[in-house]
Amino acid sequence: MAVSVNVSRFEGVTMAPPDPILGVSEAFRADTNDLKLNLGVGAYRTEELQPYVLNVVKKAEKLMLERGENKEYLPIEGLAAFNKVTAELLFGADNSVIQEGRVATIQGLSGTGSLRLAAAFIHRYFPDAKALISSPTWGNHKNIFNDARVPWSEYRYYDPRTVGLDFDGMVADIKAAPDGSFVLLHGCAHNPTGIDPTPEQWEKIADVIQEKNHIPFFDVAYQGFASGSLDADAYSVRLFVRRGFELLVAQSYSKNLGLYAERIGAINVVCSSSDAGTRVKSQLKRLARPMYSNPPVHGARIVANVVGDPNLFNEWKQEMELMAGRIKNVRQRLYENLSEKDKSGKDWSFVLKQIGMFSYTGLHKAQSDHMTDKWHIYMTKDGRISLAGLSLSKCEYLADAIIDSFHNVD
Amino acid sequence: MAAISREILKRRGIHRSPVMATIGTRSMASWFGHVEPAAKDPILGVTEAFLADPSPDKVNVGVGAYRDDNGKPVVLECVREAERRIAGNLNMEYLPMGGSIKMIEESLKLAYGEDSELIKEKRIAAVQALSGTGACRLFADFQKRFLPDTQIYIPIPTWANHHNIWRDACVPQRTFRYYHPETRGLDFASMMDDIKNAPNGSFFLLHACAHNPTGVDPSEEQWREISYQFKVKNHFPFFDMAYQGFASGDPNRDAKAIRIFLEDGHLIGCAQSYAKNMGLYGQRVGCLSILCDDELQAVAVKSQLQQLARPMYSNPPVHGALVVSIILGDPELKSLWLKEVKGMADRIIGMRKALRENLEKLGSPLSWEHITNQIGMFCYSGMTPEQVDRLTDEFHIYMTRNGRISMAGVTTGNAGYLANAIHEVTKSS
């Protein structure tokens, strides 16, 4: 064995902190208790709590295998067929921004990669601008802006008193920010709270963004998965487009097509002219090239095949309704169990009002820890549970645990 | 209908000057008026022009992807088989942040040696990366974060994207001499000078084999000298290995430079790509590895690489990684792969011979030895941009203006035509 002559330069490299979410799954796996429940998981599970590969995805992959397509490099901006369908899905094929060629769309590495491209673009072309993110938000948003060197601050969002939206706080903070900030908005199914603004509230948010000359920046990770309807879930984005904003939208197909590990998504920039769109697209490409040269082809082909084929597309819509439907049923059952079993008169209706995969229970850290320590229920410390990991049969158990933790732990 | 007007911008003191665009009856100022169109990618422009050319004689030797003897893209048999196996077994859950453990294991064996002690001692921090580009970028970002005072020495010439990668990672760049235009070979003396003159502890980017774009590699003796000098100067060697197996046909032989450095005790970094040697171009599969002092350090370094990847793409794509794992993990499939990659390398070596022989037969006054001396996908022909332009205009032959020929685009069908054209534009030099 060769003796190491040079001492490593990486002596000073310390261990990075464990990922808060992955840590939950690891602890769950190590738990031997029969009653254990993993509500940390950010991936959809069936009623049998198994991962789910959509039928349309299996069909698309079969088609792709049969066709024996080659594996040549995609262009830097990604698969043209994918870019076309993803923009149409988001804005509506007959939307004027599409008709007028005003959207710069680049295939990205799921939501994360698309957000990062946008953040890098912001850093390069809007070096004085700040990003505004909701409090709370998906943990990785902060990492993305940090690593892209875009300064950020938070706007109030979650109101623990109502376990709902702190709308006045949100509007006030967006108003107080410097003009021309990039406001990161969750298009639907806010992660981690599950709390979305109402249509009227969206209009008011648009008002204040317009007043302050901010730029809306949507993260759309759950289109179709939140309500079961692709169009309904695109409501907020389409509203802002209708009102004439230039805006950015990051998309992900991780959840709604179950393509988690394929890393397929897109960044869309709606511009006021097709010329601006062309220029913006060229610069997004310039940012992507030294990151990964060109994006992975497999997931893009799956999406293009599913969305581009009327039969598969319809079948997908049905599967999505099933997934969203299961989550709604589980919310309903949980709510019923909580209301029946809790004699304190606490209002648990937020479980029904919240939407999407996640729910902010209102439990704080000590209470969340209690959920794990006593009840073997794994969740993140901010009180978030993933309903995707809950089955109807376990709702009662969960209800008992929540009621106990809420009332008996300070 | 609400619109962001220039008035509002003026009132708010926004100093960007948005460009007015008229859409229908609305005028709307744009935020993106100051965004210039990016320069076109030099290589893609070549392919575009080629595609647009109606001539039946046209030849594309700009392409950086392997073609068979009919000029068609190739999907390896071992890859097709691996995909058939994957199709039945579907689970698209997120890979761990560092990527596929199996793929990483197999990649390390390939690069460091099947029986490497370093692997057994778990001293290598390794993560799945987005092909070679992603591996280089992760390393550059890691360098920036943990060794902010270092720079990177890059050979002249190199793959253009190397410059983009370290620039966007905000790591300062220096160059070292490499290619010798007069001999179309290695400027070894100057290279060694630059290595000696660089400050101790400098970071160097080395092409492990089949240098892109020149095809000029140091000999084994030269690699040993380079390694020795690196020890003296305590330089850090970062290997970009994008062509293992593809250069000579033998993966172990193509990893010789790395193995020499490892024997000499260097702590190296290595970017691996499966784009060419497994034909997985669009799948974006690769591996970044960093050799550390010990297992503890490797664990820490890996955790930090994951931390850098998380806000870039969270976790890497699974499909290509599955293909690689299945192929390299199954002795039969691995055998098949070795055969196929040798087949590709042999075809290229054969085309080099054919092109050179054709030029010599035509009575060219120039030496074309370098065509067969150089190795890998590319040949630095030594032609000038003007000569290249003539090749395109008069003969419909497409290549990059630096005179780089992609041997992957040469076939038994066009080698004669290509030689003839090159002879025509160079015979009076």
Side-chain angles (χ1 to χ4, degrees), chain A residues 19-21 42 109-116 133-145 152 154 157 184 186 189-193 219 221-222 250 252 254-255 263 358 360 380 382 384, chain B residues 94 309-315:
Chain A
D19 189 281
I21 298 173
L109 287 148
S110 204
T112 305
S114 307
L115 289 161
R116 178 58 176 269
I133 62 180
S134 66
S135 170
T137 194
W138 179 48
N140 209 21
H141 281 146
K142 295 179 185 170
N143 299 332
I144 291 168
F145 285 118
W152 53 267
E154 287 173 300
Y157 194 82
L184 187 66
H186 297 227
H190 184 272
N191 177 4
T193 67
D219 184 355
Y222 300 98
S252 165
S254 290
K255 286 79 168 177
R263 319 311 294 129
F358 301 113
Y360 241 33
T380 47
D382 52 3
R384 182 191 87 166
Chain B
Y94 294 120
R310 174 68 161 148
M312 247 201 255
Y313 48 83
S314 279
N315 38 71

Short mmCIF file of all heavy atoms in Angstrom, two decimals, chain A residues 19-21 42 109-116 133-145 152 154 157 184 186 189-193 219 221-222 250 252 254-255 263 358 360 380 382 384, chain B residues 94 309-315:
data_model
loop_
_atom_site.label_atom_id
_atom_site.label_comp_id
_atom_site.label_asym_id
_atom_site.label_seq_id
_atom_site.Cartn_x
_atom_site.Cartn_y
_atom_site.Cartn_z
N ASP A 19 -29.28 16.10 7.14
CA ASP A 19 -30.48 16.68 6.57
C ASP A 19 -31.66 16.42 7.51
O ASP A 19 -31.89 15.28 7.91
CB ASP A 19 -30.73 16.06 5.20
CG ASP A 19 -31.84 16.77 4.46
OD1 ASP A 19 -33.01 16.50 4.78
OD2 ASP A 19 -31.53 17.59 3.60
N PRO A 20 -32.38 17.47 7.87
CA PRO A 20 -33.45 17.30 8.86
C PRO A 20 -34.53 16.30 8.43
O PRO A 20 -35.13 15.64 9.27
CB PRO A 20 -34.05 18.70 9.00
CG PRO A 20 -33.51 19.49 7.88
CD PRO A 20 -32.25 18.84 7.42
N ILE A 21 -34.74 16.20 7.12
CA ILE A 21 -35.83 15.33 6.67
C ILE A 21 -35.36 13.89 6.51
O ILE A 21 -36.05 12.96 6.93
CB ILE A 21 -36.44 15.88 5.37
CG1 ILE A 21 -37.02 17.27 5.67
CG2 ILE A 21 -37.51 14.95 4.84
CD1 ILE A 21 -37.51 18.03 4.49
N GLY A 42 -41.72 12.78 2.07
CA GLY A 42 -42.28 13.76 1.15
C GLY A 42 -42.67 13.13 -0.16
O GLY A 42 -42.77 13.80 -1.19
N LEU A 109 -33.43 20.51 -13.55
CA LEU A 109 -33.31 19.31 -12.73
C LEU A 109 -34.35 19.35 -11.62
O LEU A 109 -34.06 19.65 -10.46
CB LEU A 109 -31.89 19.19 -12.19
CG LEU A 109 -30.96 18.78 -13.33
CD1 LEU A 109 -29.59 19.36 -13.15
CD2 LEU A 109 -30.89 17.27 -13.42
N SER A 110 -35.59 19.02 -12.02
CA SER A 110 -36.73 19.06 -11.12
C SER A 110 -36.92 20.47 -10.55
O SER A 110 -36.41 21.44 -11.13
CB SER A 110 -36.57 18.05 -9.99
OG SER A 110 -37.85 17.71 -9.49
N GLY A 111 -37.62 20.58 -9.45
CA GLY A 111 -37.88 21.90 -8.90
C GLY A 111 -36.61 22.56 -8.42
O GLY A 111 -36.34 23.72 -8.74
N THR A 112 -35.77 21.80 -7.70
CA THR A 112 -34.53 22.36 -7.16
C THR A 112 -33.67 22.98 -8.25
O THR A 112 -33.23 24.13 -8.15
CB THR A 112 -33.70 21.28 -6.47
OG1 THR A 112 -34.49 20.64 -5.48
CG2 THR A 112 -32.45 21.86 -5.83
N GLY A 113 -33.41 22.20 -9.29
CA GLY A 113 -32.54 22.68 -10.36
C GLY A 113 -33.12 23.89 -11.07
O GLY A 113 -32.38 24.80 -11.45
N SER A 114 -34.43 23.89 -11.25
CA SER A 114 -35.07 25.02 -11.92
C SER A 114 -34.99 26.27 -11.06
O SER A 114 -34.71 27.36 -11.56
CB SER A 114 -36.53 24.67 -12.24
OG SER A 114 -36.58 23.43 -12.94
N LEU A 115 -35.22 26.10 -9.75
CA LEU A 115 -35.11 27.24 -8.83
C LEU A 115 -33.68 27.77 -8.84
O LEU A 115 -33.46 28.98 -8.81
CB LEU A 115 -35.49 26.80 -7.41
CG LEU A 115 -36.97 26.52 -7.16
CD1 LEU A 115 -37.15 25.68 -5.90
CD2 LEU A 115 -37.74 27.82 -7.02
N ARG A 116 -32.73 26.85 -8.87
CA ARG A 116 -31.33 27.28 -8.82
C ARG A 116 -30.94 28.06 -10.06
O ARG A 116 -30.22 29.07 -9.97
CB ARG A 116 -30.43 26.07 -8.63
CG ARG A 116 -28.93 26.40 -8.61
CD ARG A 116 -28.57 27.40 -7.51
NE ARG A 116 -27.14 27.64 -7.45
CZ ARG A 116 -26.28 26.95 -6.70
NH1 ARG A 116 -26.73 25.97 -5.94
NH2 ARG A 116 -24.99 27.23 -6.71
N ILE A 133 -39.00 35.22 0.92
CA ILE A 133 -39.53 33.86 1.04
C ILE A 133 -40.46 33.77 2.24
O ILE A 133 -40.33 34.53 3.20
CB ILE A 133 -38.39 32.82 1.15
CG1 ILE A 133 -37.56 33.06 2.41
CG2 ILE A 133 -37.51 32.85 -0.08
CD1 ILE A 133 -36.43 32.06 2.56
N SER A 134 -41.40 32.85 2.17
CA SER A 134 -42.41 32.75 3.24
C SER A 134 -41.79 32.16 4.49
O SER A 134 -40.83 31.39 4.44
CB SER A 134 -43.60 31.90 2.78
OG SER A 134 -43.19 30.56 2.57
N SER A 135 -42.37 32.54 5.63
CA SER A 135 -41.96 31.95 6.89
C SER A 135 -43.10 31.10 7.42
O SER A 135 -44.11 31.63 7.87
CB SER A 135 -41.63 33.06 7.90
OG SER A 135 -41.46 32.50 9.19
N PRO A 136 -43.04 29.77 7.39
CA PRO A 136 -41.89 28.99 6.94
C PRO A 136 -41.93 28.71 5.44
O PRO A 136 -42.89 29.11 4.78
CB PRO A 136 -42.08 27.69 7.73
CG PRO A 136 -43.58 27.53 7.78
CD PRO A 136 -44.16 28.93 7.85
N THR A 137 -40.91 28.06 4.94
CA THR A 137 -40.94 27.58 3.57
C THR A 137 -40.15 26.29 3.49
O THR A 137 -39.57 25.86 4.50
CB THR A 137 -40.36 28.64 2.59
OG1 THR A 137 -40.70 28.27 1.25
CG2 THR A 137 -38.85 28.74 2.71
N TRP A 138 -40.12 25.67 2.35
CA TRP A 138 -39.32 24.47 2.14
C TRP A 138 -37.88 24.80 2.48
O TRP A 138 -37.34 25.80 2.00
CB TRP A 138 -39.45 24.03 0.69
CG TRP A 138 -38.67 22.81 0.30
CD1 TRP A 138 -38.62 21.62 0.95
CD2 TRP A 138 -37.86 22.67 -0.87
NE1 TRP A 138 -37.83 20.75 0.26
CE2 TRP A 138 -37.35 21.36 -0.87
CE3 TRP A 138 -37.51 23.52 -1.93
CZ2 TRP A 138 -36.51 20.87 -1.86
CZ3 TRP A 138 -36.69 23.03 -2.92
CH2 TRP A 138 -36.19 21.72 -2.88
N GLY A 139 -37.23 24.00 3.30
CA GLY A 139 -35.89 24.30 3.81
C GLY A 139 -34.88 24.60 2.72
O GLY A 139 -34.00 25.47 2.88
N ASN A 140 -34.97 23.90 1.62
CA ASN A 140 -33.95 24.05 0.59
C ASN A 140 -34.01 25.39 -0.14
O ASN A 140 -33.05 25.78 -0.79
CB ASN A 140 -34.05 22.88 -0.40
CG ASN A 140 -32.71 22.54 -1.03
OD1 ASN A 140 -31.66 22.88 -0.50
ND2 ASN A 140 -32.75 21.90 -2.18
N HIS A 141 -35.14 26.10 -0.05
CA HIS A 141 -35.20 27.42 -0.69
C HIS A 141 -34.08 28.32 -0.19
O HIS A 141 -33.41 29.01 -0.97
CB HIS A 141 -36.54 28.11 -0.40
CG HIS A 141 -37.67 27.61 -1.25
ND1 HIS A 141 -38.97 27.51 -0.79
CD2 HIS A 141 -37.71 27.19 -2.53
CE1 HIS A 141 -39.76 27.06 -1.75
NE2 HIS A 141 -39.02 26.85 -2.82
N LYS A 142 -33.85 28.28 1.12
CA LYS A 142 -32.81 29.15 1.68
C LYS A 142 -31.43 28.74 1.16
O LYS A 142 -30.61 29.57 0.79
CB LYS A 142 -32.82 29.07 3.21
CG LYS A 142 -34.10 29.61 3.80
CD LYS A 142 -34.14 29.53 5.31
CE LYS A 142 -35.53 30.00 5.78
NZ LYS A 142 -35.78 29.75 7.20
N ASN A 143 -31.19 27.41 1.12
CA ASN A 143 -29.90 26.93 0.61
C ASN A 143 -29.67 27.38 -0.82
O ASN A 143 -28.58 27.77 -1.20
CB ASN A 143 -29.86 25.39 0.65
CG ASN A 143 -30.02 24.83 2.04
OD1 ASN A 143 -29.66 25.48 3.01
ND2 ASN A 143 -30.57 23.64 2.14
N ILE A 144 -30.74 27.30 -1.61
CA ILE A 144 -30.63 27.66 -3.03
C ILE A 144 -30.24 29.12 -3.18
O ILE A 144 -29.30 29.46 -3.90
CB ILE A 144 -31.95 27.36 -3.77
CG1 ILE A 144 -32.17 25.84 -3.85
CG2 ILE A 144 -31.96 27.98 -5.17
CD1 ILE A 144 -33.56 25.44 -4.29
N PHE A 145 -30.95 30.00 -2.50
CA PHE A 145 -30.61 31.42 -2.62
C PHE A 145 -29.24 31.70 -2.01
O PHE A 145 -28.48 32.49 -2.56
CB PHE A 145 -31.69 32.29 -1.97
CG PHE A 145 -32.94 32.39 -2.79
CD1 PHE A 145 -34.15 31.91 -2.30
CD2 PHE A 145 -32.91 32.95 -4.06
CE1 PHE A 145 -35.31 32.00 -3.07
CE2 PHE A 145 -34.07 33.03 -4.84
CZ PHE A 145 -35.27 32.54 -4.34
N TRP A 152 -31.79 37.17 0.94
CA TRP A 152 -33.22 36.93 1.09
C TRP A 152 -33.69 37.37 2.48
O TRP A 152 -32.90 37.49 3.40
CB TRP A 152 -33.56 35.45 0.88
CG TRP A 152 -32.76 34.50 1.72
CD1 TRP A 152 -31.60 33.88 1.36
CD2 TRP A 152 -33.04 34.08 3.07
NE1 TRP A 152 -31.14 33.09 2.38
CE2 TRP A 152 -31.98 33.18 3.44
CE3 TRP A 152 -34.04 34.35 3.98
CZ2 TRP A 152 -31.94 32.57 4.69
CZ3 TRP A 152 -34.00 33.73 5.23
CH2 TRP A 152 -32.95 32.86 5.58
N GLU A 154 -37.55 37.09 5.02
CA GLU A 154 -38.81 36.36 5.08
C GLU A 154 -40.00 37.28 5.17
O GLU A 154 -39.93 38.37 5.73
CB GLU A 154 -38.79 35.43 6.31
CG GLU A 154 -37.87 34.24 6.11
CD GLU A 154 -37.73 33.42 7.37
OE1 GLU A 154 -37.26 33.97 8.39
OE2 GLU A 154 -38.10 32.24 7.34
N TYR A 157 -46.12 34.35 7.11
CA TYR A 157 -47.02 33.49 6.35
C TYR A 157 -47.90 32.65 7.26
O TYR A 157 -49.12 32.73 7.21
CB TYR A 157 -46.23 32.58 5.40
CG TYR A 157 -47.10 31.92 4.36
CD1 TYR A 157 -47.46 32.61 3.19
CD2 TYR A 157 -47.59 30.64 4.55
CE1 TYR A 157 -48.28 32.01 2.24
CE2 TYR A 157 -48.42 30.05 3.61
CZ TYR A 157 -48.75 30.74 2.45
OH TYR A 157 -49.57 30.16 1.51
N LEU A 184 -41.00 34.98 -3.68
CA LEU A 184 -41.17 33.55 -3.91
C LEU A 184 -42.51 33.11 -3.37
O LEU A 184 -42.78 33.23 -2.17
CB LEU A 184 -40.03 32.76 -3.25
CG LEU A 184 -40.02 31.26 -3.56
CD1 LEU A 184 -39.73 31.03 -5.04
CD2 LEU A 184 -38.97 30.54 -2.71
N HIS A 186 -45.59 30.02 -3.38
CA HIS A 186 -45.90 28.63 -3.69
C HIS A 186 -47.19 28.63 -4.51
O HIS A 186 -48.23 29.05 -3.99
CB HIS A 186 -46.08 27.81 -2.42
CG HIS A 186 -44.84 27.74 -1.57
ND1 HIS A 186 -44.37 26.55 -1.04
CD2 HIS A 186 -43.98 28.69 -1.14
CE1 HIS A 186 -43.27 26.79 -0.33
NE2 HIS A 186 -43.02 28.07 -0.37
N ALA A 189 -50.59 24.30 -2.74
CA ALA A 189 -50.13 23.31 -1.75
C ALA A 189 -48.82 23.72 -1.11
O ALA A 189 -47.79 23.08 -1.28
CB ALA A 189 -50.01 21.93 -2.39
N HIS A 190 -48.88 24.83 -0.40
CA HIS A 190 -47.69 25.38 0.27
C HIS A 190 -46.98 24.31 1.10
O HIS A 190 -47.59 23.55 1.84
CB HIS A 190 -48.13 26.53 1.17
CG HIS A 190 -46.99 27.23 1.84
ND1 HIS A 190 -46.47 26.81 3.05
CD2 HIS A 190 -46.25 28.31 1.46
CE1 HIS A 190 -45.47 27.62 3.40
NE2 HIS A 190 -45.31 28.53 2.46
N ASN A 191 -45.69 24.27 0.91
CA ASN A 191 -44.85 23.34 1.67
C ASN A 191 -44.03 24.16 2.66
O ASN A 191 -43.24 25.01 2.24
CB ASN A 191 -43.93 22.58 0.69
CG ASN A 191 -42.96 21.63 1.39
OD1 ASN A 191 -42.99 21.47 2.60
ND2 ASN A 191 -42.12 21.02 0.61
N PRO A 192 -44.14 23.96 3.96
CA PRO A 192 -44.67 22.80 4.66
C PRO A 192 -46.06 22.94 5.26
O PRO A 192 -46.55 21.98 5.85
CB PRO A 192 -43.68 22.66 5.83
CG PRO A 192 -43.31 24.08 6.15
CD PRO A 192 -43.32 24.81 4.83
N THR A 193 -46.73 24.10 5.09
CA THR A 193 -47.94 24.29 5.89
C THR A 193 -49.20 23.71 5.28
O THR A 193 -50.16 23.40 6.00
CB THR A 193 -48.20 25.78 6.15
OG1 THR A 193 -48.54 26.39 4.89
CG2 THR A 193 -46.98 26.47 6.75
N ASP A 219 -43.08 28.83 -7.21
CA ASP A 219 -42.58 27.47 -7.13
C ASP A 219 -43.81 26.57 -7.25
O ASP A 219 -44.66 26.58 -6.35
CB ASP A 219 -41.84 27.23 -5.81
CG ASP A 219 -41.22 25.84 -5.72
OD1 ASP A 219 -41.43 25.01 -6.65
OD2 ASP A 219 -40.51 25.57 -4.73
N ALA A 221 -44.70 22.93 -7.43
CA ALA A 221 -44.22 21.55 -7.29
C ALA A 221 -45.36 20.54 -7.23
O ALA A 221 -45.12 19.34 -7.19
CB ALA A 221 -43.35 21.43 -6.05
N TYR A 222 -46.60 21.04 -7.20
CA TYR A 222 -47.73 20.13 -6.96
C TYR A 222 -48.90 20.33 -7.91
O TYR A 222 -50.04 20.05 -7.56
CB TYR A 222 -48.22 20.30 -5.52
CG TYR A 222 -47.15 19.98 -4.50
CD1 TYR A 222 -46.40 20.99 -3.92
CD2 TYR A 222 -46.87 18.66 -4.16
CE1 TYR A 222 -45.40 20.70 -3.01
CE2 TYR A 222 -45.88 18.36 -3.24
CZ TYR A 222 -45.15 19.38 -2.68
OH TYR A 222 -44.16 19.09 -1.78
N ALA A 250 -40.99 27.99 -11.44
CA ALA A 250 -40.26 26.72 -11.44
C ALA A 250 -41.28 25.59 -11.30
O ALA A 250 -42.19 25.67 -10.49
CB ALA A 250 -39.28 26.69 -10.27
N SER A 252 -42.05 21.19 -11.13
CA SER A 252 -41.48 19.87 -10.84
C SER A 252 -42.48 18.79 -11.19
O SER A 252 -43.68 18.96 -10.97
CB SER A 252 -41.14 19.78 -9.35
OG SER A 252 -40.93 18.43 -8.98
N SER A 254 -41.88 15.72 -9.90
CA SER A 254 -41.54 14.69 -8.91
C SER A 254 -42.77 14.06 -8.31
O SER A 254 -42.88 12.84 -8.21
CB SER A 254 -40.69 15.30 -7.79
OG SER A 254 -39.42 15.62 -8.25
N LYS A 255 -43.71 14.90 -7.88
CA LYS A 255 -44.87 14.36 -7.18
C LYS A 255 -46.01 14.03 -8.12
O LYS A 255 -46.60 12.96 -8.04
CB LYS A 255 -45.39 15.36 -6.13
CG LYS A 255 -44.51 15.46 -4.90
CD LYS A 255 -43.30 16.31 -5.13
CE LYS A 255 -42.56 16.69 -3.88
NZ LYS A 255 -41.34 17.45 -4.21
N ARG A 263 -35.60 13.56 -11.76
CA ARG A 263 -35.19 14.96 -11.74
C ARG A 263 -35.67 15.71 -12.97
O ARG A 263 -34.86 16.17 -13.80
CB ARG A 263 -33.65 15.10 -11.61
CG ARG A 263 -32.98 14.14 -10.65
CD ARG A 263 -33.64 14.04 -9.25
NE ARG A 263 -33.54 15.26 -8.49
CZ ARG A 263 -34.55 15.88 -7.90
NH1 ARG A 263 -35.78 15.37 -7.93
NH2 ARG A 263 -34.35 17.02 -7.25
N PHE A 358 -48.85 18.03 2.61
CA PHE A 358 -48.40 18.31 3.97
C PHE A 358 -49.45 19.04 4.79
O PHE A 358 -50.31 19.73 4.28
CB PHE A 358 -47.14 19.17 3.93
CG PHE A 358 -46.00 18.52 3.20
CD1 PHE A 358 -45.55 19.04 2.00
CD2 PHE A 358 -45.42 17.35 3.69
CE1 PHE A 358 -44.51 18.42 1.32
CE2 PHE A 358 -44.38 16.73 3.01
CZ PHE A 358 -43.93 17.27 1.82
N TYR A 360 -49.54 21.33 8.47
CA TYR A 360 -48.92 21.88 9.68
C TYR A 360 -49.92 21.65 10.80
O TYR A 360 -51.00 22.20 10.81
CB TYR A 360 -48.67 23.38 9.49
CG TYR A 360 -47.23 23.79 9.57
CD1 TYR A 360 -46.22 22.94 9.13
CD2 TYR A 360 -46.86 25.02 10.08
CE1 TYR A 360 -44.89 23.31 9.19
CE2 TYR A 360 -45.52 25.40 10.15
CZ TYR A 360 -44.55 24.55 9.70
OH TYR A 360 -43.23 24.93 9.77
N THR A 380 -41.50 15.90 11.00
CA THR A 380 -40.44 16.89 11.19
C THR A 380 -40.76 17.77 12.40
O THR A 380 -41.91 17.91 12.80
CB THR A 380 -40.24 17.75 9.93
OG1 THR A 380 -41.51 18.18 9.45
CG2 THR A 380 -39.56 16.93 8.84
N ASP A 382 -40.98 20.74 13.00
CA ASP A 382 -41.78 21.96 12.89
C ASP A 382 -43.28 21.65 12.96
O ASP A 382 -44.10 22.54 12.75
CB ASP A 382 -41.46 22.68 11.57
CG ASP A 382 -41.56 21.75 10.37
OD1 ASP A 382 -41.93 20.56 10.55
OD2 ASP A 382 -41.27 22.19 9.24
N ARG A 384 -44.82 19.44 11.04
CA ARG A 384 -45.36 19.07 9.73
C ARG A 384 -45.56 17.56 9.63
O ARG A 384 -44.67 16.80 9.97
CB ARG A 384 -44.40 19.52 8.64
CG ARG A 384 -44.89 19.25 7.23
CD ARG A 384 -43.80 19.46 6.20
NE ARG A 384 -43.02 18.23 6.01
CZ ARG A 384 -42.19 18.01 5.01
NH1 ARG A 384 -42.02 18.95 4.10
NH2 ARG A 384 -41.51 16.88 4.91
N TYR B 94 -36.56 9.00 -4.60
CA TYR B 94 -35.33 9.76 -4.62
C TYR B 94 -34.14 8.88 -4.26
O TYR B 94 -34.19 8.08 -3.33
CB TYR B 94 -35.36 10.88 -3.59
CG TYR B 94 -36.37 11.97 -3.86
CD1 TYR B 94 -37.37 12.23 -2.94
CD2 TYR B 94 -36.32 12.75 -4.99
CE1 TYR B 94 -38.30 13.24 -3.14
CE2 TYR B 94 -37.24 13.77 -5.22
CZ TYR B 94 -38.23 14.01 -4.29
OH TYR B 94 -39.13 15.00 -4.49
N ALA B 309 -24.48 19.86 -3.49
CA ALA B 309 -25.38 19.36 -4.52
C ALA B 309 -26.84 19.66 -4.18
O ALA B 309 -27.66 19.90 -5.07
CB ALA B 309 -25.18 17.87 -4.70
N ARG B 310 -27.14 19.67 -2.91
CA ARG B 310 -28.54 19.82 -2.47
C ARG B 310 -29.22 21.06 -3.06
O ARG B 310 -30.32 20.98 -3.59
CB ARG B 310 -28.56 19.80 -0.95
CG ARG B 310 -29.87 20.10 -0.23
CD ARG B 310 -30.92 19.05 -0.42
NE ARG B 310 -31.99 19.12 0.59
CZ ARG B 310 -33.26 18.79 0.38
NH1 ARG B 310 -33.64 18.38 -0.81
NH2 ARG B 310 -34.13 18.88 1.36
N PRO B 311 -28.56 22.26 -2.99
CA PRO B 311 -29.23 23.42 -3.58
C PRO B 311 -28.99 23.58 -5.09
O PRO B 311 -29.35 24.62 -5.65
CB PRO B 311 -28.60 24.61 -2.83
CG PRO B 311 -27.61 24.07 -1.89
CD PRO B 311 -27.32 22.67 -2.28
N MET B 312 -28.39 22.56 -5.69
CA MET B 312 -28.23 22.64 -7.15
C MET B 312 -29.27 21.77 -7.83
O MET B 312 -29.81 22.13 -8.88
CB MET B 312 -26.82 22.18 -7.54
CG MET B 312 -25.97 23.31 -8.10
SD MET B 312 -24.63 22.71 -9.10
CE MET B 312 -23.30 22.97 -7.95
N TYR B 313 -29.47 20.58 -7.29
CA TYR B 313 -30.44 19.68 -7.91
C TYR B 313 -30.99 18.64 -6.93
O TYR B 313 -31.70 17.73 -7.31
CB TYR B 313 -29.83 18.97 -9.13
CG TYR B 313 -28.47 18.37 -8.88
CD1 TYR B 313 -28.34 17.12 -8.30
CD2 TYR B 313 -27.30 19.06 -9.23
CE1 TYR B 313 -27.09 16.57 -8.06
CE2 TYR B 313 -26.06 18.51 -8.98
CZ TYR B 313 -25.95 17.28 -8.41
OH TYR B 313 -24.71 16.74 -8.17
N SER B 314 -30.71 18.82 -5.67
CA SER B 314 -31.16 17.95 -4.57
C SER B 314 -30.52 16.57 -4.57
O SER B 314 -29.85 16.19 -3.63
CB SER B 314 -32.68 17.79 -4.52
OG SER B 314 -33.25 18.90 -3.88
N ASN B 315 -30.79 15.79 -5.57
CA ASN B 315 -30.20 14.46 -5.70
C ASN B 315 -30.16 14.13 -7.19
O ASN B 315 -30.93 14.68 -7.96
CB ASN B 315 -31.00 13.41 -4.92
CG ASN B 315 -32.49 13.65 -4.99
OD1 ASN B 315 -33.11 13.46 -6.03
ND2 ASN B 315 -33.08 14.11 -3.91
#
